[in-house]
Amino acid sequence: MKQESELVEKPKLFAGNYLKIWVANFMLYFSFYFVTPILPLYLRDVFAADKATIGLVLSGYSVAALAIRIFSGYIVDRFSRKKVLLLGFIAFALFFLGYYITGSIVLFAVIRTLHGAPFGLASVSSSTVAIDVLPSQRRGEGIGYWGLSNNFAMALSPVLSLWLYTHSQNYNVLFTVALAFAIAGFLINTTVECKYRPPVMDKQKMSLDRFILLKGWSQGVCIACVATAYGILSTYIAIYSQDVLNITTGTGTFFMLFAVGLIMSRFVGVKSLSRGHAVRNATYGVIFVVLGYSLFALWQNLYGYYISAVVIGFGQGSMYPAVQTMFLNMAPNEQRGTANSTILTSWDLGIGIGIIGGGYVAEHLGGYKFAFMMSALVSFVSMVFFLLYAKNEYLKNKLIKE
């Protein structure tokens, strides 16, 4: 009878504030990933930019997001999280208006770079507010499902974006769709109710640990390596598909299969994560990541192209929420924002390295084939480092017993 009572009283997960912030976060990442695959094409078609220039221009977004995320964890912990969320979200939405007036590649580079700052702030505050509104009994499960909002957006928005690009050949239409989704997300967030949380008042001198969760540096390295691989893949896959594999419409299918892998990983791994198996989930995830990027780099035909999409999606969908849980398990409650900003900062750093490095390798060291070999290599480094060092550091530093 006691077990039945506990089962009935177990709070709902996808309801109320958590559902609202989940949907709004989907809108945020949908807008972001909607323009990601078409911007290299935009720079090539409108400004005749070469591979190295494309990489340099697009990396500015990650640099700005990285810069703000170093401080955003502290900002989110120090001030009202909802106010920070709304400020970052509306600024992110309004920056899309700047894309309509980019008459030169220099102006585009400036607007695109500045756009990264509100995205970095909004994404950190969004995930932190989500953790705040989660029922404590279902926090591990909620964190696992939280990643689905990013993952669905990461997978679905490029499909729609590339489909619209193919049928309209009008970049302003694409920018308008991204703007509309961002505004919708902002409006949803205005309805989220957050409990009052006294701001963290620093009584000690400012230290680096207020901005970065130093205990999680090794997990951050692993995430940065995986992000480097994904930065190369997501930025250059559309051009690679056209120029190397002669695939004109298959990139959307690639991201759809990538979504299948992500969804599979979440429904397989969420229960395991809620039972405290973060290390196990991360281990499986990083192994599948290496396998997926190796298939993509070495099996360069339609079979390798599409099968690797599922494998990469499954690997990243297993690894990221597990590592995020590790960060949160190593942080006290007053540093939740810092923990979230650290993993996102690591991701941004890797994305930026991937965009710049992939463009340089493609332009000067053998083309896109070698750039994707770089993806496989850095993901392998992530696996080795995690298995030999990072997982043991986590077990030593965690505050929550699994």
Side-chain angles (χ1 to χ4, degrees):
M1 294 294 294
K2 183 178 180 181
Q3 289 182 345
E4 292 179 1
S5 176
E6 290 176 351
L7 184 62
V8 171
E9 294 175 0
K10 192 175 183 180
K12 293 182 179 180
L13 189 59
F14 280 96
N17 290 313
Y18 179 73
L19 178 60
K20 292 176 183 177
I21 195 74
W22 192 99
V23 173
N25 194 65
F26 169 82
M27 301 290 188
L28 175 72
Y29 279 90
F30 188 97
S31 300
F32 169 64
Y33 287 114
F34 190 82
V35 297
T36 296
I38 58 97
L39 287 181
L41 301 173
Y42 174 75
L43 292 174
R44 184 193 65 181
D45 296 343
V46 176
F47 301 114
D50 59 29
K51 300 180 183 72
T53 301
I54 290 172
L56 185 62
V57 170
L58 295 182
S59 65
Y61 189 97
S62 296
V63 172
L66 172 63
I68 194 65
R69 275 179 175 164
I70 293 174
F71 303 100
S72 57
Y74 172 76
I75 294 171
V76 168
D77 288 334
R78 177 66 179 80
F79 301 102
S80 167
R81 286 174 178 168
K82 182 175 179 180
K83 289 180 180 178
V84 173
L85 172 62
L86 294 179
L87 177 62
F89 221 110
I90 191 59
F92 170 76
L94 294 178
F95 259 100
F96 280 109
L97 296 174
Y99 292 6
Y100 297 109
I101 60 171
T102 53
S104 69
I105 194 169
V106 174
L107 180 58
F108 176 86
V110 171
I111 292 174
R112 181 63 180 170
T113 298
L114 293 175
H115 199 179
F119 174 75
L121 187 61
S123 54
V124 170
S125 53
S126 181
S127 59
T128 307
V129 169
I131 293 167
D132 283 347
V133 302
L134 272 171
S136 59
Q137 308 96 306
R138 307 193 69 177
R139 183 162 292 145
E141 193 176 355
I143 291 171
Y145 284 123
W146 172 253
L148 281 175
S149 62
N150 304 6
N151 297 154
F152 281 140
M154 183 189 299
L156 298 177
S157 57
V159 176
L160 179 58
S161 173
L162 291 165
W163 181 84
L164 282 177
Y165 167 75
T166 301
H167 289 83
S168 70
Q169 299 292 312
N170 188 326
Y171 291 104
N172 283 342
V173 171
L174 301 172
F175 298 148
T176 301
V177 172
L179 172 63
F181 270 86
I183 291 176
F186 168 77
L187 294 175
I188 293 172
N189 272 329
T190 62
T191 68
V192 174
E193 297 177 1
C194 299
K195 293 181 180 179
Y196 174 75
R197 178 188 54 81
V200 176
M201 304 301 293
D202 288 322
K203 298 180 179 179
Q204 300 178 350
K205 291 183 178 180
M206 198 66 67
S207 65
L208 185 60
D209 200 46
R210 290 300 295 120
F211 305 105
I212 299 174
L213 191 68
L214 297 177
K215 291 184 293 185
W217 75 267
S218 58
Q219 290 75 32
V221 169
C222 296
I223 285 294
C225 288
V226 172
T228 298
Y230 186 73
I232 298 171
L233 180 74
S234 61
T235 303
Y236 301 110
I237 187 171
I239 296 178
Y240 168 79
S241 301
Q242 292 181 5
D243 295 351
V244 178
L245 297 180
N246 296 317
I247 299 173
T248 57
T249 60
T251 308
T253 305
F254 179 93
F255 282 106
M256 190 175 296
L257 293 172
F258 181 81
V260 170
L262 288 169
I263 295 167
M264 288 169 55
S265 73
R266 293 307 168 96
F267 287 109
V268 169
V270 162
K271 293 295 184 183
S272 175
L273 194 61
S274 67
R275 296 188 184 103
H277 300 308
V279 171
R280 186 172 70 182
N281 280 25
T283 300
Y284 292 154
V286 73
I287 291 173
F288 273 94
V289 164
V290 174
L291 177 60
Y293 282 108
S294 298
L295 285 174
F296 189 90
L298 300 175
W299 196 10
Q300 294 183 342
N301 56 37
L302 285 178
Y303 295 105
Y305 185 81
Y306 290 127
I307 292 174
S308 66
V310 180
V311 178
I312 293 170
F314 187 88
Q316 289 188 192
S318 300
M319 182 184 181
Y320 191 93
V323 176
Q324 184 181 26
T325 301
M326 291 181 186
F327 272 97
L328 293 169
N329 286 349
M330 289 187 288
N333 289 340
E334 65 271 15
Q335 282 193 292
R336 284 179 184 169
T338 301
N340 278 319
S341 71
T342 303
I343 187 172
L344 290 169
T345 296
S346 302
W347 183 264
D348 284 336
L349 178 62
I351 291 289
I353 293 172
I355 294 172
I356 296 174
Y360 181 84
V361 170
E363 184 69 26
H364 301 290
L365 299 179
Y368 289 116
K369 292 182 180 180
F370 286 89
F372 291 118
M373 286 293 293
M374 180 177 161
S375 291
L377 178 62
V378 294
S379 61
F380 178 77
V381 170
S382 177
M383 179 186 71
V384 173
F385 186 68
F386 178 80
L387 295 177
L388 297 183
Y389 185 82
K391 74 172 185 179
N392 296 323
E393 283 297 295
Y394 163 69
L395 294 173
K396 184 171 67 176
N397 290 308
K398 65 181 181 177
L399 300 178
I400 296 177
K401 186 175 181 181
E402 295 182 359

